[in-house]
Amino acid sequence: MATQNIPCVHSEHEEGQSLLDSYGIIGNMHSCALVSINSASIDWYCYPYFDSPSIFGSMLDKEIGGRFSIRPTTCDHRSKQFYWPDTNVLITRFLSEEGVTQVIDYMPVKQQGSPGYLWLVRRVKVVRGQAELVMECSPAFDYARRGHHAKIEEYGAVFTERVKTDDPSRTEGLVMHLETDLPLQLGRYKNDEQGCKISRDTVGDDGVHSRFTLKEGETAVFVFRERHGKHRRYDPEAHNTLDAKSKLWSELHTPEGHTDDYSHKTDCTALEDRLFNETLSYWKGWLGKFNYKGRWREIMQRSALVLKLLTFAPTGAIISSPTCGLPLVLEKQYNYDPRYTWIKDAAFTLYAFLRVGFTEEAAQFMGWLECRCKESKLLVEMEDEVADDLVDDPSLGGALRTLKDGVVDATSKVLHVAEEAIGKLVSADTPSPHPISALYTIHGKPSNETIELGHLSGYQNSRPVKIGTSGSLEYHLDIYGELLDSVYLYNKYGTMVSYDFWTFLRRLVDWVCHHWHETDDGVWGMGEGRKHYVYSKVMCWVAVDRGLRLADRRSFPAPRRRWYRVRDEIYESIMRRGWSPERKAFVQAYDTTVLDASVLIMPLTFFISPTDPRMLSTLDAIWRPPQKGGLVYSSLAFRYQHEAPEAGQPASSCRGRRSCSTSSIDEGEGTCNICSFWLIEALTRASAKRPDLLRSSRIMFEELLGFANHVGLYGGETGLSGETLGNFPQALTHLSLISCAFNLDRTLGSKGL
């Protein structure tokens, strides 16, 4: 539980934006909202889905982004924020001499058509004494690109989005209803000259406010939802592009025989109490399946609850993060939209869910992956034909013959010649089409569109803000290893995969056998040109290896002889060209000397033994401070060096923006939380040969736990001043935390520690 002393200023758009560390999250597996500890302000909320446009977005623009805040009028209060135990119900508590007030925020988990479906509920209660508070609700539709009209009604206010008359695809804008039994007024509030009292400032008609006093035991309820009488029907086909005109407004309908008129205060208050108890019961019941009994149980439970919030219920997809446009480097242009499902996260997702007992979520996500594979059937067949034509090309000199039948007649020397020949035939600038995309929308469609929101100032003046992603256009060879590894884990710890699914997986392995020689964009998507990234080659090896393991475990038909040959060929290639004798370490890309923390995945995927001399040497190289050529800064790991350091020079920080010298490291990108957890897990596994590493890995892990925010949430990166950077919260960080904690606890237990 965190406590903050709040300065004598109450309007956040006067004092500035809240820092990422100050937010908790609530959600309903369709969308979510971020609530600040400072003034219980909802500064990020997209409706109706994760990837829909924001309605409240002051996180990206403190002036026009929109917010929904509830705060005391006094300036001498302190604030705490914490979760109701074992739930995703968030409590923000204000403490002062006059009294104690708490704001309880939650989003009911309801089925489509049920009361509470897609609602955002805020309950205000005075626990002790009395309190004067002010509520301000100022939405900003469509990332503040569309205006709206606010109207006061008997039991609340209605916000109607304005639609351009020249837009034939939008005949009706979104209509949101703020329900409450408190009197409302048009306009916003802002601080007076002294900063302690709040005075009314009516700026247009875009917001409403209420100033009210509650005594001990009294409550006030605010429900923010779509206008009563209509229900949103999920339609994935209406969500295929970034164009708000076609993507974001699915058909509305009223279910037969059902009404949704809860606008009367008696009905609304009684219903809210029921929804609150049902929401508590849902989360406690869900977490009851959590079967991990070891160290750091509560921390892992919070990570599991976060991952559940980031799951899109209609499809089982898990988004990388619910926010967008939050930078890795403040006041720089590098920001992106992670509200997508990345294939590279698949294995970590399945592993995390299965390890802590959530087999239903693992099965749902596996179903989502299977659908993506089946949708690519025609592309796989077309790619097989292209690949057969390629390997029969006479320019290969007969080095490879009839790959389709799984016959490879070549010595290792000829295979090396063939590898280079294929590299010449397949240009790095024109890679082969992928059977599957590197990422998908939560609705299961690839994305290749990016839009800049130039009107938004950005978080901490980091602009331009971008929505959408062109990630589907990037060429990533690593995704097949991550996908096959996730299927293998599910088949081993969950439910056995079907033969029909296997036929698609077999084609994916065949595709990898044909194309692993190619360059790609790498796991980080650095934009520095395609290379032979070691991480990608390792994942190609994983794809073939897991294909073989699945085939053997299930006795599935497969061209085993060819797969074994290709798997060995990839392995030898990595050992020959991915190892730097100069650095005595595995490096970022073939024939370079640049360190990259992504190679820490090698022992985690069983590519190499964690106690292999080469892996131990790599750990030693990475585990040095940047000033000595390594990647670790005070138990936190950078992703990679931009370029190899010259003799006597420090390593550079991530993305090559700043040197990692002590004088300028704080100006560059922060350390990567995922890489930090990977490093700890690699050290834990290596302790089988070097026991001293186990103590170090535990210390590093517990130090890293201290970089979570006050409610246990992590972003993508941690700045050198301990601040959260990147989009927040980050799913892959919490997935890596669960994996790291599980293996560290198991190792400590085996040593009797």
Side-chain angles (χ1 to χ4, degrees):
M1 184 186 302
T3 304
Q4 289 191 5
N5 290 316
I6 305 300
C8 199
V9 179
H10 301 282
S11 179
E12 292 190 35
H13 58 271
E14 291 289 321
E15 69 172 304
Q17 293 164 308
S18 296
L19 297 177
L20 292 181
D21 310 86
S22 66
Y23 288 100
I25 185 174
I26 59 173
N28 56 10
M29 282 79 76
H30 288 77
S31 184
C32 65
L34 267 63
V35 186
S36 76
I37 187 176
N38 299 322
S39 59
S41 178
I42 295 177
D43 293 340
W44 183 256
Y45 176 56
C46 297
Y47 182 87
Y49 306 127
F50 293 113
D51 59 351
S52 301
S54 64
I55 293 180
F56 302 120
S58 60
M59 178 178 284
L60 296 180
D61 194 302
K62 61 185 180 181
E63 300 294 342
I64 66 172
R67 61 166 39 84
F68 184 2
S69 64
I70 302 172
R71 57 190 185 268
T73 59
T74 60
C75 62
D76 57 349
H77 66 273
R78 295 175 296 122
S79 65
K80 295 181 178 180
Q81 194 174 67
F82 54 96
Y83 282 101
W84 196 287
D86 300 335
T87 74
N88 277 315
V89 175
L90 186 67
I91 300 174
T92 306
R93 183 172 290 169
F94 302 106
L95 304 97
S96 67
E97 293 183 0
E98 290 77 17
V100 177
T101 306
Q102 61 186 26
V103 180
I104 303 176
D105 289 308
Y106 64 97
M107 297 170 71
V109 182
K110 305 292 289 184
Q111 295 296 319
Q112 181 174 312
S114 302
Y117 177 65
L118 302 183
W119 289 15
L120 191 159
V121 183
R122 317 197 73 182
R123 175 196 284 190
V124 187
K125 181 178 181 179
V126 173
V127 179
R128 180 186 62 80
Q130 68 175 25
E132 184 182 38
L133 303 114
V134 60
M135 182 282 303
E136 178 188 331
C137 183
S138 302
F141 290 88
D142 194 13
Y143 306 107
R145 291 185 295 185
R146 295 183 183 273
H148 66 274
H149 175 72
K151 180 183 178 182
I152 304 294
E153 294 189 346
E154 183 178 3
Y155 297 111
V158 175
F159 305 95
T160 304
E161 180 194 18
R162 293 194 179 100
V163 178
K164 295 181 180 179
T165 56
D166 59 350
D167 188 347
S169 65
R170 293 281 302 280
T171 58
E172 181 182 3
L174 191 63
V175 181
M176 302 301 294
H177 190 190
L178 174 65
E179 291 188 50
T180 183
D181 56 0
L182 294 176
L184 301 177
Q185 298 182 45
L186 290 174
R188 303 181 184 179
Y189 270 77
K190 74 172 186 177
N191 301 321
D192 66 4
E193 294 180 358
Q194 287 73 37
C196 289
K197 295 182 179 179
I198 298 181
S199 58
R200 182 182 178 191
D201 177 28
T202 54
V203 183
D205 61 354
D206 60 343
V208 299
H209 63 263
S210 177
R211 185 170 180 172
F212 57 99
T213 300
L214 296 178
K215 297 180 180 179
E216 186 172 319
E218 293 182 337
T219 63
V221 174
F222 300 91
V223 176
F224 190 77
R225 64 187 182 93
E226 199 162 356
R227 181 66 167 173
H228 65 269
K230 293 181 177 180
H231 282 264
R232 186 167 296 278
R233 181 173 63 200
Y234 177 68
D235 179 10
E237 296 304 319
H239 299 263
N240 294 343
T241 71
L242 266 182
D243 188 349
K245 294 183 296 185
S246 60
K247 171 183 178 183
L248 300 158
W249 312 108
S250 59
E251 180 182 354
L252 299 176
H253 76 292
T254 302
E256 184 177 354
H258 180 82
T259 61
D260 186 23
D261 187 5
Y262 293 99
S263 59
H264 296 297
K265 62 180 180 180
T266 54
D267 291 338
C268 185
T269 302
L271 177 61
E272 188 278 329
D273 188 64
R274 191 184 84 196
L275 290 175
F276 174 71
N277 288 295
E278 289 177 350
T279 303
L280 291 180
S281 297
Y282 172 84
W283 287 116
K284 289 179 179 291
W286 182 82
L287 198 61
K289 296 181 291 185
F290 187 88
N291 61 13
Y292 175 79
K293 307 297 183 183
R295 300 170 179 84
W296 312 296
R297 176 180 168 86
E298 291 187 3
I299 295 167
M300 292 177 67
Q301 285 181 329
R302 178 51 52 195
S303 289
L305 285 163
V306 171
L307 294 175
K308 182 63 174 177
L309 278 184
L310 301 184
T311 302
F312 186 55
T315 65
I318 298 179
I319 60 170
S320 178
S321 178
T323 57
C324 66
L326 300 178
L328 297 178
V329 182
L330 294 178
E331 300 185 6
K332 298 295 181 181
Q333 295 186 6
Y334 183 64
N335 63 73
Y336 67 104
D337 187 347
R339 295 174 296 167
Y340 297 85
T341 298
W342 297 74
I343 297 298
K344 70 179 182 181
D345 298 349
F348 298 99
T349 301
L350 266 296
Y351 183 82
F353 276 145
L354 291 170
R355 278 305 189 192
V356 295
F358 296 114
T359 54
E360 182 179 341
E361 283 71 22
Q364 191 178 19
F365 186 65
M366 180 54 61
W368 183 88
L369 285 175
E370 185 173 352
C371 288
R372 305 292 78 76
C373 292
K374 290 182 176 179
E375 289 171 355
S376 68
K377 179 180 179 181
L378 294 178
L379 181 57
V380 172
E381 291 176 347
M382 179 179 66
E383 184 58 34
D384 282 341
E385 296 174 1
V386 174
D388 290 342
D389 292 341
L390 176 63
V391 298
D392 288 337
D393 192 290
S395 63
L396 292 179
L400 301 178
R401 295 182 298 155
T402 60
L403 276 179
K404 185 176 182 180
D405 298 326
V407 179
V408 179
D409 183 16
T411 63
S412 59
K413 180 177 180 180
V414 178
L415 281 173
H416 180 62
V417 174
E419 176 185 339
E420 296 195 356
I422 291 178
K424 294 178 182 178
L425 286 173
V426 183
S427 170
D429 297 327
T430 56
S432 304
H434 265 293
I436 59 174
S437 174
L439 60 87
Y440 292 87
T441 69
I442 57 176
H443 317 287
K445 305 299 179 182
S447 173
N448 55 17
E449 185 180 6
T450 302
I451 296 176
E452 287 190 3
L453 303 178
H455 64 291
L456 298 179
S457 62
Y459 174 75
Q460 301 289 307
N461 296 315
S462 301
R463 57 193 311 178
V465 174
K466 298 178 182 178
I467 57 172
T469 179
S470 58
S472 294
L473 301 178
E474 295 180 357
Y475 193 58
H476 293 277
L477 290 172
D478 61 283
I479 60 177
Y480 302 99
E482 289 137 357
L483 189 150
L484 265 296
D485 194 30
S486 66
V487 176
Y488 173 77
L489 290 171
Y490 184 70
N491 184 84
K492 183 177 180 179
Y493 297 109
T495 303
M496 291 187 289
V497 300
S498 67
Y499 170 75
D500 289 334
F501 189 20
W502 168 250
T503 61
F504 290 98
L505 298 173
R506 184 173 58 192
R507 290 175 180 177
L508 291 178
V509 177
D510 284 337
W511 189 94
V512 173
C513 289
H514 291 316
H515 297 282
W516 73 268
H517 311 82
E518 299 174 7
T519 58
D520 76 336
D521 290 305
V523 63
W524 306 127
M526 296 180 292
E528 297 181 356
R530 296 189 175 102
K531 301 177 183 178
H532 291 286
Y533 288 101
V534 171
Y535 180 92
S536 298
K537 302 304 183 191
V538 169
M539 282 300 165
C540 287
W541 179 90
V542 170
V544 182
D545 177 77
R546 300 311 190 261
L548 284 165
R549 292 179 186 232
L550 268 174
D552 290 342
R553 179 178 287 268
R554 299 291 308 284
S555 300
F556 281 138
R560 287 174 172 78
R561 182 180 178 185
R562 175 159 57 91
W563 287 5
Y564 275 116
R565 290 287 189 95
V566 173
R567 186 185 67 172
D568 292 346
E569 183 184 350
I570 299 172
Y571 197 97
E572 293 286 1
S573 176
I574 294 171
M575 288 300 188
R576 184 175 64 252
R577 302 180 61 188
W579 169 263
S580 170
E582 178 184 345
R583 300 299 301 272
K584 293 182 174 58
F586 290 106
V587 288
Q588 183 183 78
Y590 279 6
D591 307 321
T592 69
T593 58
V594 179
L595 286 182
D596 192 314
S598 66
V599 302
L600 294 168
I601 204 69
M602 287 179 163
L604 278 56
T605 57
F606 305 106
F607 173 84
I608 191 173
S609 167
T611 59
D612 186 284
R614 287 195 177 193
M615 196 64 228
L616 292 174
S617 179
T618 300
L619 285 173
D620 289 337
I622 291 175
W623 200 18
R624 298 188 185 104
Q627 296 84 353
K628 296 183 179 180
L631 297 177
V632 178
Y633 184 90
S634 185
S635 299
L636 302 173
F638 288 101
R639 292 194 291 177
Y640 59 88
Q641 301 167 327
H642 177 61
E643 57 186 8
E646 299 177 359
Q649 295 297 318
S652 60
S653 88
C654 301
R655 294 204 174 259
R657 289 188 173 87
R658 295 288 187 272
S659 167
C660 274
S661 64
T662 54
S663 60
S664 60
I665 191 170
D666 57 343
E667 297 180 12
E669 185 179 318
T671 56
C672 178
N673 294 326
I674 304 163
C675 294
S676 299
F677 284 120
W678 284 355
L679 174 61
I680 295 167
E681 189 166 351
L683 291 170
T684 300
R685 294 171 185 253
S687 67
K689 189 169 185 178
R690 289 171 49 180
D692 60 299
L693 296 181
L694 184 58
R695 179 178 179 274
S696 298
S697 61
R698 179 172 186 171
I699 292 174
M700 290 179 64
F701 180 76
E702 292 177 340
E703 285 184 345
L704 190 54
L705 294 181
F707 286 99
N709 81 341
H710 59 285
V711 288
L713 305 182
Y714 286 91
E717 296 197 349
T718 298
L720 299 181
S721 299
E723 74 278 13
T724 297
L725 297 173
N727 288 289
F728 176 87
Q730 188 80 24
L732 191 52
T733 302
H734 287 276
L735 291 166
S736 302
L737 184 155
I738 290 175
S739 175
C740 182
F742 182 90
N743 285 285
L744 179 57
D745 174 74
R746 182 172 58 181
T747 304
L748 289 168
S750 68
K751 304 292 185 181
L753 300 175

